[in-house]
């Protein structure tokens, strides 16, 4: 199974990605984690990413795509993956499509978690208020002000992907405002409905032949009728001898008997004439 999760900040993509990865034994791919892992591993493209990240600049799309390409080649990717947080723009999606095409990898679906932005802001406000009431430190990026900016960025850059994947008939939309359990069940339901969760997706190609072998109506009955004209004729209400004669004509027996009949007839005529003379 190969999936992409779409949704604004706070929609629950990370939580659902973890649940899907656990249920279907696939790998959750986070671009941030992949960049850090590649940098730590000291790969050529990882070192490029490390230098750029150290300068505080954004890593270019071609480097991110290169790191994803290296990751897809690793053995643990054989069961599939979930991309969480990538692609974020239409050009990134187009580059990813090209990469998957080169690697002969089929993307099964893009799951969009659709949420109400005002409800997300209310959630953050409530969470921040509760954390402050407990005396806990609030993360800098976990405030209504920061979330508003991230939502605006999502609408501008990432939301066009909904139309992009919808045109390619890959988009599946789920109500992200449901409870976590309900969202998980709905995602699994629609994935099963499109066959993305089925390991034997190619099985339908063998169904016609398999059906004939299973039913066996034509294949098993045909051998019983061949070479048994008497029984078939009896069922049809016809004399068995007539059917047998027809079978004999098809096998060529009649043509071999004609010369014998003619020669026998001539011989009997000669004998009759001789007796008459005597």
């Amino acid at each position: 199974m190969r999936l992409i999760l779409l949704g604004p900040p706070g929609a629950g993509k990370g939580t659902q990605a973890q649940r899907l990865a656990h249920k279907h034994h696939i790998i959750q791919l986070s671009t941030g984690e992949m960049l850090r892992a590649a940098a730590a591993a000291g790969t050529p493209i990882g070192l490029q990413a490390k230098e750029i990240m150290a300068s505080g600049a954004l890593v270019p799309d071609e480097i991110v795509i290169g790191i994803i390409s290296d990751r897809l080649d690793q053995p643990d990717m054989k069961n599939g993956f979930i991309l969480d947080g990538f692609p974020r723009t239409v050009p990134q999606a187009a580059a990813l499509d090209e990469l998957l095409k080169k690697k002969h990898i089929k993307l099964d679906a893009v799951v969009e978690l659709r949420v109400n932005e005002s409800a997300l802001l209310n959630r953050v406000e409530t969470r921040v208020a509760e954390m402050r009431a407990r005396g806990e430190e609030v993360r800098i990026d976990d405030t209504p002000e920061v979330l508003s900016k991230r939502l605006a960025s999502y609408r501008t850059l990432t939301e066009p992907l909904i139309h992009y994947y919808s045109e390619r008939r890959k988009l599946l939309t789920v109500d992200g405002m449901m409870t976590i359990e309900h969202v998980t069940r709905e995602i699994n339901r629609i994935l099963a409905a499109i066959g993305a969760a089925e390991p034997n997706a190619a099985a339908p190609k063998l169904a016609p032949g398999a059906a004939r072998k299973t039913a066996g109506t034509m294949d098993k009955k045909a051998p019983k009728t061949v070479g048994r004209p008497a029984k078939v004729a009896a069922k049809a209400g016809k004399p068995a001898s007539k059917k047998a004669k027809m079978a004999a004509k098809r096998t060529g027996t009649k043509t071999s008997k004609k010369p014998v009949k003619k020669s026998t007839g001539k011989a009997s005529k000669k004998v009759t004439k001789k007796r008459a003379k005597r």
Side-chain angles (χ1 to χ4, degrees):
M1 183 191 298
R2 298 165 182 88
L3 306 173
I4 292 174
L5 288 185
L6 285 182
K13 298 187 300 297
T15 300
Q16 296 303 328
Q18 290 175 6
R19 289 179 166 227
L20 286 167
H22 178 72
K23 178 179 176 61
H24 301 287
H25 307 288
I26 54 181
I27 304 298
Q28 178 185 358
L29 295 180
S30 168
T31 50
E33 290 178 3
M34 282 189 289
L35 286 168
R36 288 188 290 272
T43 63
I45 199 163
L47 292 175
Q48 292 181 45
K50 183 178 181 180
E51 186 177 346
I52 294 170
M53 288 188 293
S55 67
L58 292 174
V59 180
D61 289 353
E62 57 268 22
I63 291 182
V64 177
I65 287 291
I67 287 174
I68 292 174
S69 177
D70 290 346
R71 186 68 181 88
L72 292 177
D73 292 336
Q74 295 180 21
D76 62 346
M77 301 300 295
K78 62 180 181 179
N79 289 335
F81 58 81
I82 303 173
L83 273 170
D84 172 20
F86 189 90
R88 294 181 184 272
T89 65
V90 170
Q92 287 179 353
L96 179 63
D97 283 348
E98 190 64 27
L99 172 66
L100 296 178
K101 184 179 179 181
K102 286 180 181 178
K103 292 182 178 294
H104 305 288
I105 296 174
K106 176 182 174 292
L107 182 65
D108 292 305
V110 177
V111 179
E112 177 207 1
L113 299 180
R114 188 165 293 181
V115 296
N116 185 301
E117 290 188 6
S118 61
L120 289 181
L121 288 169
N122 290 335
R123 284 181 184 177
V124 173
E125 290 174 352
T126 302
R127 183 168 64 245
V128 169
E130 289 174 349
M131 290 177 69
R132 284 175 177 165
R134 292 192 298 265
E136 297 176 3
E137 185 178 354
V138 179
R139 284 171 46 182
I140 298 175
D141 60 347
D142 193 16
T143 64
E145 294 76 21
V146 173
L147 180 58
S148 295
K149 292 179 181 178
R150 293 176 67 193
L151 289 173
S153 177
Y154 175 82
R155 285 193 300 270
T156 303
L157 299 174
T158 309
E159 207 166 60
L161 289 175
I162 295 171
H163 177 68
Y164 178 88
Y165 285 116
S166 179
E167 281 190 329
R168 286 154 181 76
R169 297 184 179 182
K170 294 292 184 182
L171 187 70
L172 302 172
T173 300
V174 175
D175 181 7
M177 300 306 297
M178 298 185 293
T179 64
I180 293 174
E181 292 295 336
H182 278 86
V183 173
T184 301
R185 283 199 295 268
E186 182 64 11
I187 291 174
N188 284 316
R189 184 190 69 79
I190 60 176
L191 289 177
I194 66 168
E198 297 294 334
N200 298 323
K205 293 181 180 180
L206 302 176
R212 284 196 298 270
K213 289 180 180 179
T214 304
T217 51
M218 294 300 293
D219 295 339
K220 290 182 179 179
K221 286 184 179 180
K224 292 180 181 179
T225 58
V226 175
R228 298 175 68 179
K231 187 175 181 180
V232 176
K235 288 183 179 178
K238 295 179 181 180
S241 58
K242 186 176 180 180
K243 195 71 178 181
K245 288 178 180 179
M246 291 174 67
K249 286 180 181 179
R250 287 196 297 270
T251 57
T253 309
K254 186 176 179 181
T255 53
S256 62
K257 287 182 180 180
K258 280 183 179 180
V260 178
K261 287 182 179 180
K262 286 181 180 179
S263 60
T264 305
K266 287 179 181 180
S268 59
K269 285 180 182 179
K270 287 180 181 180
V271 172
T272 308
K273 286 179 181 179
K274 286 180 181 180
R275 287 179 179 175
K277 285 179 182 180
R278 288 178 184 177

